[in-house]
Amino acid sequence: MPAPLHMRALFRRLPTDLAIVTVFNVLIAVTLTYLVRTGSPLSVNLAYSLCIGTLALLFCDVPRLLLWGEGKPPRLPFFLILAIANPIAWYLGVGIATHILGIPRENFTLARARNPTGFLTFFALVSLFICWYFWNRGKLQLLAAEAATEKARTAAIEKQAMQAQLQMLQVQIEPHMLFNTLANLRGLIALDPPRAQHMLDQLIQYLRATLTSSRAEKTTLDQEFALMEAYLGLMSVRMGARLSHDLQLPDALRDLPVPPMLLQPLVENAIKHGLEPKMDDGHIGIRAEQQDGMLILTVADTGLGLDAPVSDTPGTHVGLANVRERLQALYGERATFTLTPNAPTGVIARLTLPTRP
C-alpha cells in the first residue's frame, strides 16, 4: 500500500503533469499534420495524440509517484516502467481513438504507412524528448526541495543562535539586579534589622515571581507590570517615603506579548542613578500606550537627570546595553530606545516596539 506521503504527491503532481502532457499532445498533433504530413486532418491526429499521450503519462507517472513520491526514482526500474508502459499506451490509445472517431483501426495504419520513416523517427524523438523533460523536471524539483531544506536548516540554526544570545543577555540582567539589591540589603541589616528582614521577604517574593518568566521567551505586559509592582514594592522598603510610584496599563494592552525583563533594567536604572542618590522625595511612573500600531513603554522619574555627577558606585551599564542588544536582536530597526530629560528634573526612558512580530 503506498505511503500517505506518496498519495499526496500523486494528487499534487498528477494534474500538473497532465496539463503539461496535453500541451505536448497538441504540439505533436500539429507537427504530424503540417510537418510530417501523415495525410490525416488535425482533429484526427489530435484525438490519437491525446489518447496515446495521456495513457502513456498515466502508466508512467502514477506508478512512479506511488512508488517513489516526488523523490528521484532508481534509474533501471524507472526505464523498465517506461519500456513497458509506452507500447501498452500506444496500443490502447490507438484503439480508444479509433473507437471515438468511428473509423477502422486499419486506417490509422495506412496513414502511418504513407511516411513510415518520418513517422517512426518523429515518434522516437518525441518519446525521448518527453522522457528527458520529465526526468530533468524531477531532478530540478529534487534540487529545489534540497535547497529549501538547507535554507530551513540554516534559518533554524540562526534562530537557535539568536535565542541563545537573547538567553545570555536575559540571564545577565538577573545577577545585575541581585547584586545591587543584596548590596543594599547588607547595608540595611546593620542599620535597621526589622526593615532588612521585611526587605528580604519582599526579595524572596519577587524572585519567586520572576523565576519562571525570566526564563521564558515571551511574557505578557500584564505580567511584566505585575513584576515591576513587586520590584517597586521591594525598593519602597529600602527608600521608605522618599519613593512614590504609579503604573498605568490600559486593560486592552494587558495580554499583549512582550519580551520578559525588558522594563526591569530601566526601572532599576532610574532608582539607582536618579532617585536613590537624590535627597528629596522622588517619583517614578511606568506607562504603556499604543500609537499607530506601536507599543510605547515609558519609565519617567524625577531623579537627578542625565547630567547628574557619577556616583561613587557607578553601574556596569549592563542593563541598558542589554536592552539595546535585545531590541536589535528581536526587532531590528523596528524598535527604538531613547533616554531624554524629564521636566523639571529626571529622565524619561522610552521603548517603542512593534505590536506584531
Side-chain angles (χ1 to χ4, degrees), residues 158-208:
E158 291 176 351
K159 183 179 180 181
Q160 290 176 355
M162 189 186 75
Q163 287 177 338
Q165 181 188 11
L166 290 172
Q167 193 70 30
M168 180 192 69
L169 295 173
Q170 195 166 304
V171 169
Q172 285 179 351
I173 292 173
E174 298 164 47
H176 183 61
M177 185 274 292
L178 285 175
F179 176 79
N180 291 332
T181 304
L182 291 175
N184 285 281
L185 183 62
R186 180 175 178 273
L188 197 60
I189 288 174
L191 297 175
D192 192 344
R195 287 183 61 197
Q197 179 65 43
H198 182 49
M199 185 176 183
L200 183 59
D201 294 339
Q202 292 288 325
L203 177 61
I204 292 171
Q205 290 182 10
Y206 174 75
L207 292 178
R208 185 179 292 117

Side-chain angles (χ1 to χ4, degrees), residues 114-157:
R114 293 174 187 173
N115 191 357
T117 304
F119 187 89
L120 292 175
T121 303
F122 174 76
F123 177 74
L125 291 176
V126 167
S127 298
L128 289 174
F129 175 77
I130 293 176
C131 291
W132 172 84
Y133 174 81
F134 279 103
W135 180 263
N136 283 280
R137 182 167 174 263
K139 287 178 63 177
L140 289 175
Q141 289 178 334
L142 187 62
L143 291 174
E146 291 175 351
T149 302
E150 180 62 23
K151 184 178 179 181
R153 191 179 71 86
T154 302
I157 292 174

Side-chain angles (χ1 to χ4, degrees), residues 5-271:
L5 187 63
H6 293 177
M7 291 296 293
R8 288 197 293 271
L10 175 66
F11 289 114
R12 183 170 54 248
R13 280 283 303 274
L14 193 58
T16 304
D17 290 350
L18 278 172
I20 294 173
V21 165
T22 300
V23 173
F24 277 125
N25 289 334
V26 173
L27 293 176
I28 291 170
V30 171
T31 305
L32 286 172
T33 305
Y34 301 107
L35 295 181
V36 181
R37 296 184 184 279
T38 60
S40 301
L42 177 62
S43 59
V44 173
N45 287 331
L46 185 60
Y48 281 110
S49 180
L50 287 172
C51 291
I52 297 171
T54 303
L55 287 176
L57 173 74
L58 293 176
F59 293 160
C60 296
D61 221 24
V62 172
R64 180 178 71 87
L65 292 172
L66 289 180
L67 290 173
W68 302 293
E70 294 184 286
K72 183 180 179 180
R75 185 166 298 182
L76 183 59
F78 179 68
F79 282 108
L80 184 61
I81 290 176
L82 291 180
I84 296 173
N86 280 326
I88 296 175
W90 174 272
Y91 181 81
L92 293 179
V94 169
I96 294 173
T98 53
H99 179 73
I100 293 174
L101 295 171
I103 59 177
R105 187 183 183 96
E106 293 75 18
N107 286 10
F108 175 79
T109 304
L110 290 174
R112 185 181 60 181
R114 293 174 187 173
N115 191 357
T117 304
F119 187 89
L120 292 175
T121 303
F122 174 76
F123 177 74
L125 291 176
V126 167
S127 298
L128 289 174
F129 175 77
I130 293 176
C131 291
W132 172 84
Y133 174 81
F134 279 103
W135 180 263
N136 283 280
R137 182 167 174 263
K139 287 178 63 177
L140 289 175
Q141 289 178 334
L142 187 62
L143 291 174
E146 291 175 351
T149 302
E150 180 62 23
K151 184 178 179 181
R153 191 179 71 86
T154 302
I157 292 174
E158 291 176 351
K159 183 179 180 181
Q160 290 176 355
M162 189 186 75
Q163 287 177 338
Q165 181 188 11
L166 290 172
Q167 193 70 30
M168 180 192 69
L169 295 173
Q170 195 166 304
V171 169
Q172 285 179 351
I173 292 173
E174 298 164 47
H176 183 61
M177 185 274 292
L178 285 175
F179 176 79
N180 291 332
T181 304
L182 291 175
N184 285 281
L185 183 62
R186 180 175 178 273
L188 197 60
I189 288 174
L191 297 175
D192 192 344
R195 287 183 61 197
Q197 179 65 43
H198 182 49
M199 185 176 183
L200 183 59
D201 294 339
Q202 292 288 325
L203 177 61
I204 292 171
Q205 290 182 10
Y206 174 75
L207 292 178
R208 185 179 292 117
T210 58
L211 186 61
T212 302
S213 64
S214 65
R215 297 291 191 274
E217 187 178 345
K218 289 281 186 181
T219 186
T220 63
L221 204 53
D222 186 48
Q223 177 68 12
E224 189 74 356
F225 267 63
L227 294 178
M228 289 306 96
E229 181 71 46
Y231 179 75
L232 289 172
L234 180 64
M235 293 300 104
S236 295
V237 176
R238 191 175 72 198
M239 298 178 61
R242 288 201 304 124
L243 176 65
S244 63
H245 66 274
D246 73 285
L247 292 87
Q248 300 178 29
L249 175 61
D251 291 338
L253 302 180
R254 289 189 178 278
D255 295 331
L256 204 63
V258 292
M261 307 293 286
L262 201 58
L263 285 173
Q264 191 271 335
L266 306 183
V267 177
E268 183 188 4
N269 195 61
I271 291 178

